[in-house]
Amino acid sequence: MKTKSILLKSRPQGMPTEENFEFKEEELPDLQEGLLLLKSLYISVDPYMRGRMSDAKSYVAPYSLNEPIAGGVVAEVVESRHDRYKAGDVVLGNLPWQTYSISDGRGLSPLDPNLAPLSYHLGILGMPGMTAYCGLLYIGEPKEGETVVVSGAAGAVGTVVGQIAKLKGCRVVGIAGSDEKTAYLKTELGFDEAINYKTTSNMREALAAACPNGVDIYFDNVGGEISDAVYSLLNNFARIAVCGQIALYNATSVPTGPRVEPILLKKKALMKGFIVSDYATRFPEAATELTNWVKAGKLQYEEHIVEGFDQLPQAFFGLFRGENTGKQLVRVADYKTN
Ligand SMILES: NC(=O)c1ccc[n+]([C@@H]2O[C@H](COP(=O)([O-])OP(=O)(O)OC[C@H]3O[C@@H](n4cnc5c(N)ncnc54)[C@H](OP(=O)(O)O)[C@@H]3O)[C@@H](O)[C@H]2O)c1
């Protein structure tokens, strides 16, 4: 069985380019006892992968040079010599960017293809959904009538954060990078206001107009100047969930902004960074509640699916160009086809 792989050839400086990746085709070895042959169906591209492409110390180890990139993948078991799985089963795992791969089963979770579309396990029912749910509910602790601002609002995490905040009775203001996205947030997802940061010259003024009662919760997916504008509008006892800083991921030097500490002090505000895995004990509850909301039509879900394994690097770059509304994914193969 031949597999295609995408390896990290060099560590990006600034925005990653095709030069940083290498495509390789090779023959997989025969399947040994205790192993599974997996066919990748959907491969997730996520902003955190940019951090793993650098060798800076972080909460997760860097990718090794000349090894395949790895991340969230939904895969079909094509052949099994493993007693827990049979051909035709579908699994979720942290797997290499390969069309086919061999696994010993460790770290794989079986998926029920009848529960939801398989791709949802990389989005609303997977890591981004858990991030939105846990960060908003356990750091933000939203209460009815409060104002929630979410940056990166039209992405995988942001769309879910805003909708859960609406379900909790909050006023929700989203920040995103195009008029199509802001219109989508308001008309499709029920956000109260949405601001296009790319065409707004004074973010502070625009936010003040959108948040007449100030900001109680800020769910930060992007950082940088957008966040600087939000901090100035915080209310007493505001909560800031620092989820992501995508505006800084390609920065080659760290930009400085206003000092936030005096604001936190005067407003008695909480600012808390988190990694979704901190909330692993909450995942069963989150998965049940998110599934129920999706089934009841209370949560809308959008995916931006790019077709074809070879498009993985471009789909990844698309995250930094704002090409996606909702969860950015690559479809590699269909379920139960060869
Ligand atoms: N803490 C955790 O455990 C955890 C877990 C998952 C994700 N995250 C973080 O959460 C954030 C969102 O992740 P996601 O998977 O939902 O990605 P996403 O929002 O679906 O995709 C990234 C989006 O970020 C926006 N963006 C890109 N560059 C930007 C910039 N310079 N300034 C402002 N916005 C920019 C783009 O939208 P626009 O068109 O609006 O610019 C793009 O669509 C990321 O920062 C990610 O690292 C953290």
Side-chain angles (χ1 to χ4, degrees), residues 47 131 155-157 176-177 181 197 221 243-244 247 249 274-276 319 324:
T131 304
V157 174
K181 289 185 181 186
Y197 72 91
N221 283 315
C243 175
Y249 292 171
F274 74 103
I275 300 300
V276 61
L319 293 168
N324 60 308

Side-chain angles (χ1 to χ4, degrees), residues 7 62 74 95 103 108 190 197 203 209 224 232 266-267 280 292 331:
L7 320 184
V74 167
L95 294 167
S103 164
L108 297 181
Y197 72 91
M203 276 301 289
S232 64
K266 283 181 213 156
K267 297 297 178 183
N292 290 342
R331 180 169 25 227

